[in-house]
Amino acid sequence: MTMAATNKRITYLDLLRVAACASIVLMHSPAPTAEVPGMVQVPIYFLTAAGLVLFFMVSGALLLPVHGGTKQWLHRRMGKILGPTLFWTLFYLTVAYLANGKDDGQLFRDLISIPFTAKGHGVLWFMYTLAGLYLLAPIVSPWLKQASRNELRIYLGLWGVSLFLPWVALVADVNTSATGMLYYFSGYAGYFILGFYLHTHGSRLPSWGLVTCLVVPICCLLIFGALGGKGLEPLFWYLSIFVAAMALAWFEGVRRLSLVNKMGGGVLTELSNCSFGIYLVHIFIMRYGLWNIDFIVHGLGWLWQIVVTWVLTLVISFLLTKAMSYFPFSEYIIGYHSGRLKNAKGSDFSIL
């Protein structure tokens, strides 16, 4: 199903976007001063990592292969992602400058670095990666249009091997530099193409296989952590086989649920439309707002601190994003304008 084929929203992708957005906010909710036990914070941190890569998969499902000319594609997609990237970079740089008194020299360096790396706040790295995938999309699309299921599986299999390399590196020397054999099969492009593959062909994994893709990473994380394992991040982070397995299970599991097709419209559609804005604004709401309320951070206890911060951040971010969606040119700020999406199909994470 392509963008040219239908204007009907794809409900399961809307649901995935909402769930992914909620998981990312949950990941960031534990306040560093709330004395959250490490045995709680670390699993939250790693087990919600699949949320972000689901956005790349949803984008791949909806945008690949590209139809039309490269110039038209880049004008439509890159033109709109650059606006939100620049706006929120300058916004977070200004907030940091006012709050922390950043020196003028560092601010100047940050400003001239904007075209080359994420500045303002760490969450904006996603924007640069997404832009890179947009640049790649028209290049890989001719292959995707004619590639067989087995050819796609060969690419995804090699990409999957690259996700194992952090574990192989525990016992062997691994070259992950640009001279490595699998270097050009690694990275977030794999999630982009995996989303296209699952949306187009589906997975042949049985239900118990999908459950295994969720259970095994959880068990390995708990066992490795209990044994005092160090260097968890490359083993359980975005470009690891365990996060890819969890993302595959969530994507395919939700896609198969027939009940999901009855959930379209209403609140789900609105939350999906606002997911990009929620992602961009939630850090400001959380860290410059809720984390400064002593009762929330210290008066509730660590469990309720996480829950209350999570829920309030989602609600406030949604309401703020929805309000901003009525602004002129809001699609260049939050990727969404309420008055122009009455019957639009669900699109990629950022640009509808």
Side-chain angles (χ1 to χ4, degrees):
M1 186 180 298
T2 67
M3 293 189 69
T6 180
N7 285 324
K8 183 179 179 181
R9 294 192 72 98
I10 304 173
T11 305
Y12 88 89
L13 294 177
D14 278 337
L15 181 58
L16 281 171
R17 266 196 301 198
V18 173
C21 188
S23 71
I24 292 170
V25 176
L26 176 60
M27 174 194 290
H28 296 150
S29 292
T33 57
E35 299 181 354
V36 181
M39 63 181 297
V40 174
Q41 189 163 357
V42 170
I44 288 177
Y45 197 55
F46 288 110
L47 296 179
T48 55
L52 190 136
V53 301
L54 280 172
F55 284 130
F56 293 128
M57 294 173 67
V58 169
S59 292
L62 287 160
L63 298 177
L64 295 175
V66 170
H67 295 273
T70 299
K71 183 178 179 179
Q72 178 186 8
W73 163 263
L74 293 179
H75 175 76
R76 184 173 68 249
R77 293 290 163 184
M78 295 298 292
K80 290 187 177 180
I81 198 175
L82 293 178
T85 302
L86 181 60
F87 176 88
W88 290 99
T89 297
L90 295 176
F91 175 82
Y92 280 114
L93 280 175
T94 301
V95 169
Y97 183 82
L98 296 176
N100 305 321
K102 182 178 291 189
D103 67 86
D104 294 340
Q106 182 59 48
L107 180 61
F108 174 75
R109 184 177 180 85
D110 288 340
L111 289 173
I112 64 174
S113 299
I114 290 174
F116 312 108
T117 188
K119 290 293 180 179
H121 197 280
V123 296
L124 296 177
W125 74 266
F126 174 85
M127 307 290 288
Y128 288 77
T129 306
L130 186 62
L133 295 177
Y134 281 1
L135 291 172
L136 181 66
I139 297 173
V140 300
S141 288
W143 172 65
L144 294 176
K145 290 177 182 178
Q146 57 83 35
S148 67
R149 181 188 181 108
N150 285 336
E151 288 173 330
L152 289 169
R153 291 173 71 179
I154 290 173
Y155 165 80
L156 291 171
L158 291 170
W159 173 69
V161 172
S162 77
L163 301 179
F164 268 110
L165 294 183
W167 287 90
V168 176
L170 295 176
V171 296
D173 295 328
V174 176
N175 181 6
T176 57
S177 72
T179 60
M181 181 174 63
L182 295 179
Y183 177 80
Y184 297 100
F185 290 91
S186 62
Y188 291 96
Y191 287 114
F192 204 41
I193 295 175
L194 178 61
F196 163 79
Y197 172 84
L198 292 175
H199 183 58
T200 305
H201 300 286
S203 171
R204 293 177 178 174
L205 279 175
S207 297
W208 63 264
L210 297 180
V211 173
T212 300
C213 286
L214 292 174
V215 173
V216 170
I218 294 174
C219 292
C220 289
L221 174 62
L222 295 177
I223 293 171
F224 198 80
L227 294 176
K230 297 181 179 180
L232 286 175
E233 184 165 331
L235 302 179
F236 294 94
W237 206 225
Y238 299 133
L239 293 176
S240 73
I241 191 62
F242 285 147
V243 168
M246 289 190 292
L248 184 154
W250 282 114
F251 191 103
E252 184 64 10
V254 171
R255 190 186 70 85
R256 292 182 187 182
L257 290 176
S258 59
L259 177 64
V260 170
N261 295 322
K262 302 177 182 179
M263 299 172 58
V267 175
L268 178 62
T269 298
E270 288 299 324
L271 288 170
S272 178
N273 288 340
C274 292
S275 58
F276 186 43
I278 293 172
Y279 176 85
L280 290 169
V281 78
H282 82 276
I283 285 292
F284 176 74
I285 299 298
M286 182 186 297
R287 299 190 178 179
Y288 292 94
L290 299 177
W291 279 11
N292 291 314
I293 301 176
D294 188 69
F295 174 71
I296 292 178
V297 177
H298 299 291
L300 294 176
W302 63 264
L303 176 59
W304 284 108
Q305 179 273 312
I306 295 173
V307 173
V308 171
T309 300
W310 180 40
V311 173
L312 287 180
T313 300
L314 283 171
V315 171
I316 297 172
S317 298
F318 168 72
L319 294 176
L320 182 58
T321 299
K322 185 60 180 176
M324 287 192 293
S325 72
Y326 292 99
F327 294 173
F329 308 109
S330 63
E331 64 267 37
Y332 297 102
I333 300 174
I334 56 171
Y336 166 49
H337 191 289
S338 287
R340 300 172 190 173
L341 286 171
K342 296 299 183 183
N343 298 304
K345 170 198 170 190
S347 176
D348 66 297
F349 171 53
S350 57
I351 311 300
L352 292 165

